[in-house]
Amino acid sequence: MKVLIVGSGGREHAIAWSVAKSPKVEKIYCAPGNAGIAEFAECVNIGAMEFEKLAAFAKEHEVDFTIVGMDDPLVGGIVDVFEAEGLRVFGPRKNAAILEGSKGFSKDLMKKYHIPTADYETFTDADAALAYLETAKMPIVLKADGLALGKGVLICQTLEEAKEGVKEIMQDKKFGTAGNTMVVEEFMTGREVSVLSFVDGKTIRTMASAQDHKRAGDGDTGLNTGGMGTFSPSPFYTKEVEAFCQAHIFQATVDAMREEGREFKGIIFFGLMLTEEGPKVLEYNARFGDPETQVVLPRMKTDIIEVMEACVDGTLDQIQLEFEENAAVCVVLASDGYPLAYEKGLPITGLDEFKKHEGYYCFHAGTKFNEKGELVTNGGRVLGVTAKGADLKEARANAYRATEWVNFANKYMRHDIGKAIDEA
Ligand code: AMP
Ligand code: GLY
């Protein structure tokens, strides 16, 4: 079959790599793709938000199956456009992608269906939010309701910071219309775990757990980023935690969406906080995580196309997911200065080394070929250097060794990805 993947980051590279392993697949297109994806997919110069053009391309090239990797097109309704054209597509419709698209919606859903999450209030009026904050307990968390490139969450230590946050989100509209509504949430402490799952509307199958590192600097310092590295599995996601989540969170979310007439098909990414009171939902995403995917999919033994087709067809109950009994670590190589200002267009060397070693992967996030045909940096996050190992410690040592193979002038990385596993 012919597959089209929509997206252009490290996550889409990992998805494309996984799809390419399926014996069912003869041709992969990726729109818009990147230099790494181009190795086994034909990259098509159509933007992820150009739904009509993408659907026309899929029809013209007789694409059998489209996979949407990114949140923006899903929340914008790309799946509805494809379905209206009679195309097979993997991902939630617009009315279900709201699970990620509106934090207010997801919080209200959790409250209504008793799914454990932090206490919260929702505001559409800045003055009401300010009045509420006067008596609220600090620290406190402010969240812009809509999509904000993962940046619409402010953790405020003091009342002054919280007031400044309300100004940024609701009055200055730092995150655009995403801040028309704002969620004010209780601050939680604990370990964070990411659990990704396949959902067919009724049945849910969870993948191996992972943990992301969102801050730019070692020791979780510095600014929030899209993610600086991941490991899988999380040693903190024990059998007991898993059993609790299965009883109170995973199926409950799928059932709640169905009950609301918003049947969810695709990926639900559960961002969990393991608090002293038990696991609670931090956030939902309606797509694979980036860079969680880079450590989860290399460990998956099941054919990804078989699972995704089962999601679309509503037959996921007939599939059991299988993962390798090992571990994987991904260290993001970024451009120094990310997430603020950084230089692009710098030549990258050393990637041939990955072809010589089994269990090592270099997923491209921000790369391209320049006019001379050289591979150059083209973004803040450049590459996701991933390695497997028998256990987390071995995987971490392998991943860091592989980071040394790669060079570009302003290469920057965290040196403590997976360090938490030493405390497990
Ligand atoms: P989100 O986009 O909702 O995942 O938030 C981004 C990050 O902010 C999370 O990964 C957490 O590290 C942090 N965060 C979000 N909500 C809370 C909360 N209620 N308490 C503590 N930290 C939070
Ligand atoms: N790694 C977090 C995310 O994809 O949202």
Side-chain angles (χ1 to χ4, degrees):
M1 65 198 264
K2 293 182 189 165
V3 175
L4 168 65
I5 299 171
V6 178
S8 61
R11 163 183 52 210
E12 285 75 21
H13 191 179
I15 294 171
W17 169 84
S18 190
V19 167
K21 288 198 304 178
S22 172
K24 295 186 169 185
V25 174
E26 77 206 49
K27 169 90 186 170
I28 307 174
Y29 296 101
C30 189
N34 66 33
I37 296 172
E39 211 176 297
F40 36 68
E42 185 179 330
C43 293
V44 185
N45 195 14
I46 306 176
M49 294 307 284
E50 298 182 280
F51 303 164
E52 307 291 343
K53 274 194 194 170
L54 288 168
F57 176 90
K59 278 193 147 170
E60 193 186 327
H61 292 80
E62 297 177 329
V63 167
D64 302 291
F65 198 71
T66 298
I67 301 165
V68 185
M70 298 166 71
D71 43 11
D72 279 320
L74 288 170
V75 171
I78 189 172
V79 168
D80 306 61
V81 171
F82 270 60
E83 283 184 349
E85 295 289 336
L87 292 160
R88 258 163 90 74
V89 54
F90 177 82
R93 291 182 189 143
K94 186 174 183 171
N95 75 348
I98 190 174
L99 189 62
E100 169 166 8
S102 166
K103 293 200 190 280
F105 170 84
S106 69
K107 295 297 291 188
D108 290 347
L109 186 86
M110 287 185 265
K111 189 180 201 174
K112 181 168 171 189
Y113 292 91
H114 309 291
I115 297 167
T117 189
D119 286 340
Y120 72 103
E121 295 285 337
T122 307
F123 296 95
T124 49
D125 175 69
D127 288 331
L130 289 167
Y132 172 82
L133 287 169
E134 288 290 343
T135 56
K137 207 170 124 219
M138 299 295 144
I140 201 152
V141 185
L142 308 185
K143 298 186 174 185
D145 179 68
L147 293 182
L149 298 167
K151 298 192 177 84
V153 175
L154 303 177
I155 295 175
C156 307
Q157 301 297 333
T158 63
L159 179 60
E160 283 61 45
E161 271 178 53
K163 284 181 172 168
E164 185 54 34
V166 173
K167 186 167 174 294
E168 280 180 23
I169 292 177
M170 299 192 85
Q171 291 168 329
D172 301 347
K173 299 268 188 247
K174 194 171 165 193
F175 309 106
T177 53
N180 287 351
T181 299
M182 187 183 74
V183 172
V184 177
E185 193 175 277
E186 166 206 7
F187 177 75
M188 300 189 283
T189 51
R191 297 271 178 201
E192 282 185 45
V193 179
S194 303
V195 178
L196 279 56
S197 66
F198 290 98
V199 180
D200 75 349
K202 309 181 289 290
T203 303
I204 177 163
R205 293 277 184 263
T206 53
M207 296 178 235
S209 63
Q211 187 185 317
D212 189 9
H213 299 66
K214 288 213 167 88
R215 300 292 203 92
D218 284 0
D220 288 329
T221 55
L223 295 171
N224 252 322
T225 71
M228 293 301 292
T230 38
F231 57 85
S232 170
S234 164
F236 307 104
Y237 186 69
T238 58
K239 287 270 168 251
E240 293 73 49
V241 172
E242 185 180 9
F244 180 93
C245 294
Q246 253 150 14
H248 302 286
I249 296 177
F250 301 150
Q251 188 68 48
T253 301
V254 175
D255 293 346
M257 289 298 280
R258 221 150 83 96
E259 190 67 32
E260 293 294 305
R262 297 173 182 274
E263 183 177 72
F264 193 106
K265 290 185 176 206
I267 302 289
I268 300 183
F269 165 149
F270 298 85
L272 304 171
M273 180 80 93
L274 309 184
T275 74
E276 277 184 357
E277 295 164 29
K280 293 188 184 182
V281 177
L282 272 172
E283 63 159 349
Y284 292 117
N285 293 313
R287 40 127 187 120
F288 279 101
D290 191 344
E292 282 88 346
T293 309
Q294 290 88 317
V295 285
V296 170
L297 288 186
R299 300 184 56 226
M300 190 166 88
K301 293 201 265 185
T302 321
D303 183 330
I304 192 169
I305 290 293
E306 241 171 66
V307 191
M308 288 181 162
E309 288 206 285
C311 290
V312 173
D313 296 337
T315 55
L316 191 60
D317 58 332
Q318 290 162 34
I319 301 241
Q320 293 302 332
L321 291 185
E322 281 190 78
F323 283 82
E324 294 170 0
E325 291 288 328
N326 55 10
V329 169
C330 170
V331 180
V332 170
L333 301 185
S335 304
D336 197 9
Y338 172 72
L340 296 174
Y342 47 84
E343 216 182 316
K344 295 199 267 192
L346 302 166
I348 306 169
T349 58
L351 301 199
D352 286 346
E353 211 54 39
F354 288 87
K355 297 220 170 69
K356 301 179 196 157
H357 297 83
E358 182 85 14
Y360 289 78
Y361 314 89
C362 189
F363 295 117
H364 293 225
T367 64
K368 68 169 190 181
F369 291 110
N370 67 12
E371 314 75 55
K372 290 190 238 157
E374 296 167 319
L375 180 70
V376 296
T377 64
N378 191 39
R381 291 193 294 175
V382 178
L383 300 164
V385 170
T386 303
K388 294 200 277 201
D391 58 20
L392 283 163
K393 282 188 183 163
E394 191 182 297
R396 179 175 57 182
N398 290 347
Y400 273 106
R401 184 168 57 231
T403 63
E404 290 168 20
W405 300 339
V406 185
N407 274 305
F408 49 91
N410 58 354
K411 172 177 146 186
Y412 170 82
M413 64 182 155
R414 274 182 65 162
H415 290 88
D416 62 347
I417 301 302
K419 192 159 180 277
I421 60 185
D422 296 336
E423 299 154 29

